[in-house]
């Protein structure tokens, strides 16, 4: 399978703290070795099942969790919900690991609070860049996953979208929201709309504030649920 190339560069801040949760020991060990080899990333813990995630997260305080979406006892979807519900904690960003770019859990995982998805056969470069991107607050959705996500949600939706939730947004904010929902970065949105990257960041911040959303991934979900983005666009 061809992997999606992702950009991401290390910064000068403290190392990004990562936890890896996967029922396959080879995945935990392989990903752990790749990430620990980076100067700006440190693996602070690992687990073989989602049921261990809450306690591990509380103990290690990671910035990013790599979470297998399919595990035998507690799947990644339920584990993500559990982590996001933890009180008194700066919640880590969660990257769901999947073997399938059309996994049926994709939309549910985004709604549960996942920041993005990574295919398990991605390159080492993509894995490292994904951790950096999500730690920086960006959503991580490869185009192949995004297009299937839109089509799948449009097919499953049983009621007309509620467009009223978009009422607080300006036309420019709607333009930015559409592009966030199709997995464009701030730089790419800036180029398309002939804006500065800082202006795009300001628009994204205003969208989050006006709609009461937590992060860019929730912008993606809101765009699909409101009908701003759909399978025919």
């Amino acid at each position: 399978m061809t992997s999606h190339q992702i950009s991401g560069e290390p910064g000068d801040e403290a190392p990004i703290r990562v936890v890896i949760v996967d029922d396959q020991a080879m995945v935990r060990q392989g990903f752990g070795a790749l990430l620990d080899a980076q100067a700006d990333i440190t693996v602070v813990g690992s687990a073989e099942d989602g049921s261990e995630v809450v306690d591990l997260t509380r103990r290690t305080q990671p910035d990013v969790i790599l979470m297998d979406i399919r595990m035998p006892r507690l799947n990644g979807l339920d584990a993500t919900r559990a982590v996001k519900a933890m009180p008194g904690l700066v919640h880590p960003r969660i990257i769901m690991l999947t073997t399938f770019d059309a996994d049926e859990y994709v939309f549910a995982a985004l709604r549960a609070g996942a920041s993005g998805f990574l295919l398990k056969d991605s390159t080492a470069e993509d894995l490292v860049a994904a951790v950096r991107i999500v730690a920086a607050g960006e959503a991580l959705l490869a185009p192949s996953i995004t297009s299937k996500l839109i089509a799948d949600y449009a097919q499953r939706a049983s009621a007309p979208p509620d467009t009223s939730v978009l009422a607080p947004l300006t036309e420019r904010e709607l333009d930015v929201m559409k592009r966030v929902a199709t997995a464009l970065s701030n730089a790419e949105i800036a180029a398309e709309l002939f804006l500065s990257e800082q202006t795009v960041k300001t628009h994204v911040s205003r969208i989050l504030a006006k709609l009461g959303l937590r992060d860019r991934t929730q912008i993606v979900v809101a765009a699909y649920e409101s009908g701003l983005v759909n399978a025919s666009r």
Side-chain angles (χ1 to χ4, degrees):
M1 185 182 298
T2 302
S3 61
H4 173 58
Q5 202 63 31
I6 308 164
S7 62
E9 296 298 334
D12 297 325
E13 296 85 8
I16 301 165
R17 298 168 61 82
V18 177
V19 157
I20 302 170
V21 185
D22 196 291
D23 60 334
Q24 297 179 19
M26 289 182 63
V27 172
R28 297 195 304 273
Q29 293 165 5
F31 281 13
L34 286 169
L35 294 173
D36 262 337
Q38 310 302 311
D40 61 323
I41 299 173
T42 181
V43 176
V44 295
S46 65
E48 64 180 13
D49 185 75
S51 62
E52 304 172 40
V53 173
V54 169
D55 180 61
L56 182 60
T57 298
R58 188 174 286 113
R59 286 189 288 107
T60 61
Q61 299 288 299
D63 302 302
V64 175
I65 298 176
L66 291 173
M67 180 97 73
D68 188 9
I69 203 167
R70 294 170 179 264
M71 292 179 285
R73 284 176 288 180
L74 187 70
N75 65 41
L77 178 59
D78 291 333
T80 295
R81 291 192 183 110
V83 169
K84 292 297 183 180
M86 291 175 65
L89 180 75
V90 176
H91 295 139
R93 301 185 185 278
I94 297 176
I95 301 174
M96 308 303 297
L97 300 172
T98 179
T99 309
F100 312 102
D101 61 0
D103 198 299
E104 66 263 28
Y105 288 138
V106 166
F107 197 82
L110 288 177
R111 294 194 68 179
S115 292
F117 291 81
L118 190 68
L119 300 180
K120 285 189 178 181
D121 63 354
S122 295
T123 66
E125 291 80 7
D126 279 356
L127 169 66
V128 172
V131 169
R132 291 172 179 153
I133 287 169
V134 169
E138 297 280 349
L140 182 72
L141 288 172
S144 62
I145 291 179
T146 303
S147 61
K148 288 181 174 67
L149 175 62
I150 296 170
D152 179 68
Y153 184 75
Q155 184 178 14
R156 294 186 188 199
S158 58
D162 180 10
T163 59
S164 66
V165 299
L166 302 175
L169 303 183
T170 66
E171 286 298 319
R172 179 56 83 192
E173 288 163 355
L174 289 171
D175 288 340
V176 171
M177 186 173 181
K178 287 177 185 176
R179 286 160 177 81
V180 170
T182 54
L184 294 185
S185 67
N186 286 345
E188 291 168 331
I189 295 171
E192 279 203 7
L193 297 180
F194 303 101
L195 302 170
S196 71
E197 192 169 346
Q198 183 56 51
T199 298
V200 172
K201 289 180 181 178
T202 299
H203 284 312
V204 170
S205 295
R206 287 175 178 166
I207 293 167
L208 292 170
K210 287 182 177 181
L211 300 187
L213 304 176
R214 181 178 57 244
D215 55 29
R216 289 175 74 97
T217 311
Q218 288 202 331
I219 292 179
V220 175
V221 174
Y224 300 150
E225 290 187 327
S226 66
L228 182 66
V229 175
N230 61 50
S232 64
R233 294 179 185 175

